[in-house]
Structure formats: structure tokens, C-alpha cells
Amino acid sequence: MSEKTISAISTPSGSGGVAVIRLSGQNALSIAEKMFIPSGKTAVKNFHPYQMYPGNIQTQNFTDFGLCVYFQAPKSYTGEDIVELHCHGGNEIAKGILKQTFLLGAVPAQAGEFTKRAFLNGKMSLSAAEGVIGMINAQSESMIKAGYSLYQNRLGKQIKEVQDKLTTLLASIEVDIDYPEEDLQNSIPDLINVKEELLKTCNRLRNLKNSYETVGRRVKNGITVAIVGKPNAGKSSLLNAILGYDKAIVSDIEGTTRDIVEGVIEVKGVQFHLYDTAGLRQSKDVIEKIGVEKAEKLLEEADVVLHVVDGTKAFDAEDIERSKSIQNQGKLLHFTVVNKCDLTEKVDVFPVEDVPCLEISAKNGKNVQLLVQKMYEVMEKKYNFNSEFVVERRHYDALKEALEILDQVYMQAGEVPLDMLTVGLQQAWQTLGEITGETANEQIIQEIFSKFCVGK
Ligand code: GDP
């Protein structure tokens, strides 16, 4: 347990109903005693933990009326004694109260120091701490859910189970090394057993790793939607219609969108990043050319491609060629969006097989929401955003590394004496420990907590 008692404002700066000043450390309660005058008869030092007490919060220059709550070690967020002072939510009030805690001996908390202490005191794993920051920084509901799952240590528990399995494997191999003559007859079944267990472990790690590649990274970074098509097909208009406000410039002058314009929407808790791109055409204009190159690159990376065509014009060979080439990239979702249907009586069916086609009007909004809904449905069906998945790149990297080591060990099993497998098994164990923090070095820990805000 750390000796210094830290203090910080835990609520965001600005005016609001309430602000919270939080103290953690062995002097938390004695500092509170010197600045909180309870309205009731119970003295601060006799406060029952986890109960709110009303009273005056006194500073050198002013008094506020608020609440005080004591969380007794070790049953607190940090594992240390914690006191929270709830005051009126004005910047100056909270700052004055914070200053008072410093005058009484507390020191300013560093970014994330409360959570870092929680980790160092064994209250939560490193991945669970990352869940807390994940939830705080979440930009969508699916990110909150993923952060909460981490915070509940669901990944941490899975990693621990895999590590335990590796420990058992190591122990069984070491028995084999220590008593080779006794195990002589058993060494073949042992090998089969080791290989079987290794395979199961590798598969488990592979599933976790794959869950990041498919779902996790999309939840974290959003689903990439490229809006492409010829100049004037209505790409910018479609972006604006989906967003519900004018983000991109709409004009009947060809080549208006040169750079990529991004807009973000959230559908049922999942973020979609929509990119309006430069119209795809051969251009002599240097800047437009760069825009077209960017559009082509985005096309390669996108999860969803909305290929916008002008429904008032005949589909030509170039449209068909473009559609086929996108199809060949094996996109998960590739829509032909036939725009400007408000201007035409009947739109010809776009003649590329297996590419769903939807008639819309970016101008009057017809079928625009249907398009968004369809986009979501296809993604949800494929990725199941409500499943459990790995969401942090750092965890993914460690899983990938551990898996590579274990795949190697699996291939070596049977080819080399069993004892030669131990190094790899130990390495994989260590690598997995970086996820939960068991084997993470100070630099990794520092980096993670520096992403936190002060007061958490
Ligand atoms: P982009 O070059 O593909 O981004 O096309 P814009 O969105 O800038 O639109 C080109 C022109 O088509 C503009 O004059 C728009 O007002 C018009 N336009 C776009 N969508 C529609 C639509 O659904 N209906 C009609 N009538 N006009 C549209």
C-alpha cells in the first residue's frame, strides 16, 4: 500500500449539479476529519463505511454544504481507505476543496493513479483497468459493453485458465524429465496427451485472437463505409442524407469532393464511419487525381462499399466494370445505390449478379434509412456485436505472439524430446501474463495509466 494519500477532483471540469473530490490513502479519513463538519452526531472518525453523511465542507476561504462518504480499506476501489466529498458542482468550489486537502497533507493524484493503485493492490487486473478507461472513453454503446466486459475481468479469467493449462502441461513434462525410467512406457501416451492439450489451448487462443480481427477492431474503430461512384452520382448528397446534416459540399460541378469527407453515425450501438470520396474518373487535375487515389485506397480497406450510380442515366460499361472489380475484392457488403429515383419513373436493374441494389433519393430521403438498416443487419449477422470479443489492440498483440509460440511448440512436439518444449510453454505463459498485468513491465503499466484522466 502506498504511503501518500492522494487527492483529485473526480468529476469533469465545468459547472454541474455536483462535483466529487476523492482522497485515497491511509490519511484519507483523518484529512476529512479536519475539513468536514457533520450535521449529525456521528464524528467523521466513527463514520460507517459506504454511508453518505451530510455536513459542511470547510476550506480556508469558504464553506460549502455537501456530503461525505468513507470506503474502508480493503473494500474500496483502490484497496486503500477512500473518502469522497460531494460538493456543489462549481469549478471554483471543487478547486478550493481540493486545495484544502493539499493543505492538510494530501498530494495531487497523477492521471489514472486511483486505478493504478487498484491494480497494484490486486483489486483488478491490468486488462480490467483497461476496461475502465475503455468505458470512460467509449464513443458508442458497443464500446461501453466491451469495456464493461473487460472490467468484469472476463478476458482476464480466460487468460488465467489458459495459463493454468500451460502450467499443468509444464508440470507433466517436468515429471517426465525427473522420472524418465518410470515413464518410459508412458512417454508415447504422454506425447499424445500433450499434443491434444496444446491443440485445444491453441484453438482457444485462436478464437480470442480472431474475435479481435473480426468484431473487436470494428467495434473499437468503427465500421468503414466507402461511398464511391462517378462524379455527380450523388455521393456527397447521400453522406449528408445519412448524417442528417450537411457535412459535404453538394454541387452539380463535377470534381467538387477532392479530399475524403468523413461522417460518423451510430446504429444500434455500433459506429459506422462513412467516407465520401472523390468521384472516380480519369482526371488531369493534380489534386483531384490524389483524391481519386485516396478513394481507390479506401475502397480496398472498407468493410462496406456503397457504389452510387445516377439512376437518371444509363448504366454503362464503366459502372459494370467498377461493380465487378469491387465484387472481386470480396467485400462483406457491396451495395449498388441507384440514386435520384425521385427524377425517374422506372429505374433499370443494375446488371451485376449478386450485388444487392437499392433505389434511393438522397434528395428526398427515400430509402436512405432502409439502406442504413440493411448495412447494419448484414454486419450484425456476420459479426454478432453482442458476443464476447477482444477489443484492445494490446491484448490482441499479446494473444498473437503467445499463439505463434504455442503453434511452434505444437509442431515441435514429437520431433524433439519433450523437455525441449518447456521454454516455449514458459514464454507463452509470460506473454499472456502481459494481458492481465502479471508479467507486464513498468513501461507498459505506465503507458496504460497515462491514458486515464486525473481523478480516476
Ligand atoms: P457527387 O459528386 O457524387 O458527390 O454528387 P453530389 O452529391 O454533389 O450531387 C450532384 C448533383 O446531383 C447535385 O446538384 C445534387 O443536388 C444532385 N442530386 C444528388 N442526389 C440527388 C437526388 O437524389 N435527387 C435529385 N433530384 N438530385 C440529386
Side-chain angles (χ1 to χ4, degrees), residues 5-14 16-25 27-29 31-33 35-36 52-53 56-59 62-71 78 81-109 114 454-456:
T5 296
I6 49 170
S7 174
I9 303 169
S10 284
T11 37
S13 65
V18 180
V20 175
I21 294 91
R22 189 192 251 174
L23 293 126
S24 178
N27 296 329
L29 199 62
I31 291 173
E33 208 179 348
M35 58 186 290
F36 189 78
M52 289 279 203
Y53 290 90
N56 282 315
I57 308 169
Q58 277 188 331
T59 74
F62 65 85
T63 302
D64 186 21
F65 188 78
L67 296 164
C68 180
V69 58
Y70 166 49
F71 302 85
T78 56
D81 268 356
I82 285 186
V83 168
E84 279 181 8
L85 295 165
H86 297 220
C87 62
H88 288 106
N91 254 344
E92 291 309 310
I93 306 172
K95 272 201 263 173
I97 294 170
L98 179 69
K99 196 169 144 203
Q100 188 65 26
T101 67
F102 296 153
L103 289 173
L104 294 171
V107 296
F114 290 93
V454 173
K456 188 63 211 171

Side-chain angles (χ1 to χ4, degrees), residues 227-240 248-257 276-279 308 310 312 338-343 360-365:
I227 304 175
V228 298
K230 284 187 193 159
N232 270 357
K235 300 177 294 302
S236 302
S237 304
L238 177 60
L239 175 72
N240 293 346
I249 300 172
V250 170
S251 145
D252 56 4
I253 303 167
E254 294 193 351
T256 320
T257 309
D276 173 24
T277 60
V308 186
D310 186 336
T312 62
V338 184
N339 191 28
K340 308 192 188 181
C341 74
D342 55 295
L343 294 179
I360 68 146
S361 167
K363 189 165 191 169
N364 69 18

Side-chain angles (χ1 to χ4, degrees), residues 427-439:
Q427 268 178 359
W429 193 98
Q430 294 275 335
T431 307
L432 290 171
E434 286 174 14
I435 296 175
T436 52
E438 232 172 326
T439 58

